Amino acid sequence: MVYLSGYGQNINEVREKYLLALHDCQYAEETYEYILSIPKPTAQIFAYRGALEAILTKTTWNPFKKFSYLKDSKLSFTKAVNMNPNQLEIRFLRMAVQYEIPTYLGFSEELKEDLEFILEHCIQFDAQKYSSDILNEIIGFVDKCQYFSLPETKRLKNILTKTS
């Protein structure tokens, strides 16, 4: 079990709640409130917070509120990367979120940086620390985004499916 900040918060629980909200945005607000309640959040928590703020854009029709969520998301990801710039999970999350945001909105500036970072450091990724659901989500993103060449995609999938 991986605990956060000594407060008994389990990163795996955060990941599970995030996946639920990702696939059904009706859980986004509840999950977001849960993450906001975590005392002394780690860089990973800020990254999940940023990802949830992006998901929250799907819960409102108000364009000003959507833009506000995107700004908050960018700030949360910036904080996460500043706190732990070498964390692959944070980079994957930010890249996945920025991939989904139309580039004309100006919230996708770090896509190339994250892509290069992931390719350079992916060998350090420890797949054993993640549930199969999270790993499948990352693999699905790698397939979907088409930013990775076929050899890069195969290499990433090999690393992501390595269990020993």
Side-chain angles (χ1 to χ4, degrees):
M1 233 182 227
V2 180
Y3 288 99
L4 305 174
S5 305
Y7 288 93
Q9 298 296 333
N10 185 317
I11 187 63
N12 292 324
E13 185 176 352
V14 170
R15 290 177 183 135
E16 288 172 23
K17 288 178 180 290
Y18 165 75
L19 283 181
L20 187 62
L22 178 65
H23 293 288
D24 188 344
C25 65
Q26 79 174 11
Y27 297 104
E29 187 67 39
E30 174 186 329
T31 303
Y32 185 60
E33 292 300 322
Y34 168 76
I35 285 179
L36 288 177
S37 74
I38 296 174
K40 297 188 180 183
T42 64
Q44 284 174 295
I45 296 303
F46 275 108
Y48 280 99
R49 178 176 165 174
L52 279 160
E53 288 159 342
I55 291 170
L56 286 169
T57 64
K58 298 176 182 180
T59 66
T60 182
W61 290 100
N62 182 328
F64 297 107
K65 189 70 174 162
K66 285 180 184 281
F67 195 74
S68 177
Y69 282 137
L70 287 178
K71 284 177 31 182
D72 290 345
S73 175
K74 183 172 179 67
L75 290 171
S76 293
F77 275 117
T78 298
K79 185 161 190 158
V81 171
N82 287 341
M83 289 173 73
N84 193 345
N86 298 319
Q87 223 286 342
L88 280 162
E89 183 175 15
I90 293 168
R91 299 300 187 111
F92 267 117
L93 275 169
R94 182 170 73 173
M95 186 178 176
V97 166
Q98 290 189 358
Y99 171 79
E100 296 292 338
I101 298 170
T103 55
Y104 65 83
L105 291 175
F107 288 94
S108 304
E109 298 97 358
E110 293 88 10
L111 272 171
K112 185 177 179 184
E113 172 189 332
D114 289 341
L115 173 65
E116 291 170 1
F117 181 88
I118 289 165
L119 291 172
E120 186 177 329
H121 296 92
C122 64
I123 195 68
Q124 298 167 0
F125 190 84
D126 185 358
Q128 292 181 3
K129 292 182 180 180
Y130 299 88
S131 71
S132 60
D133 290 338
I134 288 288
L135 293 173
N136 287 335
E137 200 66 43
I138 296 170
I139 290 168
F141 169 71
V142 168
D143 281 337
K144 174 184 167 183
C145 79
Q146 301 176 356
Y147 286 149
F148 303 100
S149 67
L150 187 56
E152 291 166 345
T153 298
K154 286 181 182 179
R155 179 173 173 233
L156 283 169
K157 284 183 177 180
N158 183 47
I159 289 166
L160 293 167
T161 56
K162 194 176 195 178
T163 56
S164 59

